[in-house]
Amino acid sequence: MAFEYAGDGALDYFPCRYGKSKLLFRGPCRSLTGDYVAALGGTETYGKFVTNPWPTLLEERLGLPVVNFGYMNAGADVFVNEPQIVEASRAARLNVVQLMGAQNMSNRFYAVHPRRNDRFLRASSLMRSIFRGVDFTEFNFTRHMLTALKTREPDKFEALIDELRIAWGLRMRALLDCIEGHKVLLWLGEYRPRGHQDPLGAEPLLVTAAMVDELRPFADEVVRVEPSIMARSAGTSGMHFAAMEEPAAQMLPGPMVHSEIAEALAPVVRRLL
């Protein structure tokens, strides 16, 4: 069988909160006193379906606590708008910030849920004026909406993508401005199985090399991780999920990808500590 079944198939992520934050992060809860590295990011940092996500593996290599502030389906909005997490990142000796996709952010065209950033809330009047005739009430998630708009209105779609890319750059700058001390940007390349074709492009969605280059002056390092063919071909080997979750697990990085991320980050982080 392609998945490892433990009990009902699901891992215990020991969800926890830090301070007054309403966000549930992957636990067990860690102390925010003393020396530690903070890992900020989305689902890939959280480590859905993986026993030891890259923050845990990086901690093993460093011999220094790495606090996992990965949040499911997060865009930059989650962290920019969360004072507790910004405060925790300032107290860290170093912050690793995953470059998340540009689709899960509020912008001039549409609004997303302030915590569940993949949830589409509403289209703006600008969006409705450009995409006339589209019933936006049929969409609950940003990816579904963007995929549908690209198919139905390809000529108008580029204006929306331009807006998302501009918003991403501004939001990432705002996030990096909030974080003091050393900052390493994690740029994780396409990790999904070879041959997988997403109509919106590769991960992180809509983020280009030029966009990343504009952020380089605001971080100490950018670590680019291109998962190996072997890691991408491993499928769900070593992942833990219930049978109904297999399609979702197939689209997320497995243990080998997480290991490659930690291996790439370790010497850079060690040098900056």
Side-chain angles (χ1 to χ4, degrees), residues 76 97-99 167-177 215:
V97 182
Q98 177 197 346
L99 297 179
W168 184 90
L170 294 173
R171 215 66 52 82
M172 286 301 299
R173 274 286 309 276
L175 175 58
L176 295 177
D177 285 345
L215 293 180

Side-chain angles (χ1 to χ4, degrees), residues 100-172:
M100 297 158 281
Q103 78 279 14
N104 292 340
M105 301 181 309
S106 291
N107 54 82
R108 292 190 306 144
F109 281 71
Y110 62 85
V112 301
H113 191 281
R115 291 188 296 277
R116 303 184 67 177
N117 290 169
D118 62 325
R119 295 296 183 107
F120 168 75
L121 291 185
R122 59 187 173 275
S124 68
S125 56
L126 175 61
M127 178 85 134
R128 295 180 185 278
S129 68
I130 294 176
F131 296 93
R132 294 183 181 276
V134 175
D135 180 8
F136 289 98
T137 61
E138 68 178 276
F139 304 120
N140 293 315
F141 297 94
T142 57
R143 189 186 290 263
H144 176 210
M145 178 192 65
L146 292 174
T147 302
L149 291 180
K150 182 175 183 179
T151 301
R152 299 177 195 178
E153 303 277 3
D155 295 335
K156 300 175 181 178
F157 187 70
E158 287 307 312
L160 173 55
I161 296 307
D162 288 345
E163 166 64 17
L164 291 179
R165 286 174 170 158
I166 291 171
W168 184 90
L170 294 173
R171 215 66 52 82
M172 286 301 299

Side-chain angles (χ1 to χ4, degrees), residues 99-103 105 157-158 160-170 172 185-190 200-217 222-224 226:
L99 297 179
M100 297 158 281
Q103 78 279 14
M105 301 181 309
F157 187 70
E158 287 307 312
L160 173 55
I161 296 307
D162 288 345
E163 166 64 17
L164 291 179
R165 286 174 170 158
I166 291 171
W168 184 90
L170 294 173
M172 286 301 299
L185 300 182
L186 168 61
W187 184 9
L188 175 60
E190 183 59 77
L200 296 177
E203 297 287 347
L205 283 185
L206 312 178
V207 175
T208 67
M211 293 163 65
V212 178
D213 285 343
E214 291 183 357
L215 293 180
R216 290 181 186 274
V222 176
V223 176
R224 174 71 159 151
E226 288 286 1

